[in-house]
Amino acid sequence: MTAATHPAPHQARKVLLSSLIGSTVEWYEFFIYGTAASLVFDDLFFPGFDPLVSTLLSLSTFAIAFVARPVGGVVFGHFGDRLGRKSMLVLTLTLMGAATFAIGLLPTYEQIGVAAPLLLVFVRLVQGFSLGGEYGGAVLMSVEHADPRRRGLYGAVVNTGTGWGLLLANLLFLAVTQLPDDDFRSLGWRIPFLLSAVLVGLGLFIRLKVAESPDFDAAKRAGEVHRAPVIEVLRRHSAPVVLMAVAYLATGVTFYVGTVFSLSYGTEHIGVSKDAMLGLVLGGTALTIVAIPLFGRWSDRIGRKGLFLAGVAGMAALPYAWFVSLDSGSTALMLLGFLVLFTAWSATYAAMPTFFAHAIPVEVRYTGLSIGYTLGTVLGGGFAPMIATYLLDRTDDWTAIAVYMSAAGVLSFAAAAFLKERQDAPVAEAKPAAVTPGSEASGSEARSGGPHR
């Protein structure tokens, strides 16, 4: 494969900024939905049920988007590995923005009956589908543009989009929850969804101006682009994809229990106000925005895998202390619990992008990374708030939830221990293709879907 020529540092930073803003927009849109599902959608779209059933139904619409993620990962990964990363990222952002804006306009159950939750499910599927292709592309654009010695940092910075998105979502919900309850339930909850149009416009403006990934360009010049990337991944790289999915479990369970389930747990089970719970989640989120880049820079020095494993070990051990801090009734102890839990989460989440990206060869990396990551989000993310809600209802105690979080950590640790980074800078260190009399024919054969190296 022809070696990639990496762009100047200023170009790499421009790409990093575009990926960060796009990632922030995507996660902002996803989190405003999770917050609304926890606080208000049960009554607006699923009235007339037992309170537990209404809450579970509301959270199920949050979870259903995760089911669509692997489909989006396969579709956008396929075209991202064939046509390029940039065009797919523009498309994913556009789809996500349109679906989120549409949620802000949806009529409620009281207005159109059962059609309301059906429409809600549809737009959630579109959101999940687009996000399934967003993450892999955003990570790869940044990591593949970066100097090999700074790939951990660049991947980590993209992952701070999760924190920035959640921060914006929580700040807006903190503002709209100050409205009188009737105003919040009729119009206030719609405002964060409608304002997403501004962020989407900004994200598209920046993404349209960046260059294609140099690693993808090198693969394309070398004739290494596969006609059916998903078949190649399933045939030759299924093991790292499965390990990637399981390795993600603790990250997803910890994050979604900590940011989505905790809202309903705090307000309904221990009597903390909505504003207080949103503020605590906000504090944990602010920490991750600072900690993730620091851990990412550290990962370039000590290695991504070791840092990933250390964070997972922390997430397996800390849920018990976190729940004790929540039940203490002390705002200071509750905040400390969030900060400690999310420090461990930040270590793993910082190392994850580059660690996962380097587990798959560049010519099928968008597909492999997207499938592995999105399968992990289904197993460890989307259903975590529902599982935690069910366990709390069955036991009336947080112990079973903490055990669930710890079990996810043990499984993730085992999978990550077997997952290997193929090489530190896959394309930059690859040998140039040999120039032989038959090389031109070989390139044509590869482009036509024939044998690949």
Side-chain angles (χ1 to χ4, degrees), residues 281-297:
V281 172
L282 199 63
T285 302
L287 169 75
T288 69
I289 292 172
V290 176
I292 289 174
L294 294 176
F295 280 124
R297 188 70 186 96

Side-chain angles (χ1 to χ4, degrees), residues 165-180:
L166 183 56
L167 184 67
L168 288 173
N170 279 350
L171 284 174
L172 272 174
F173 264 97
L174 275 172
V176 297
T177 53
Q178 305 307 309
L179 295 169

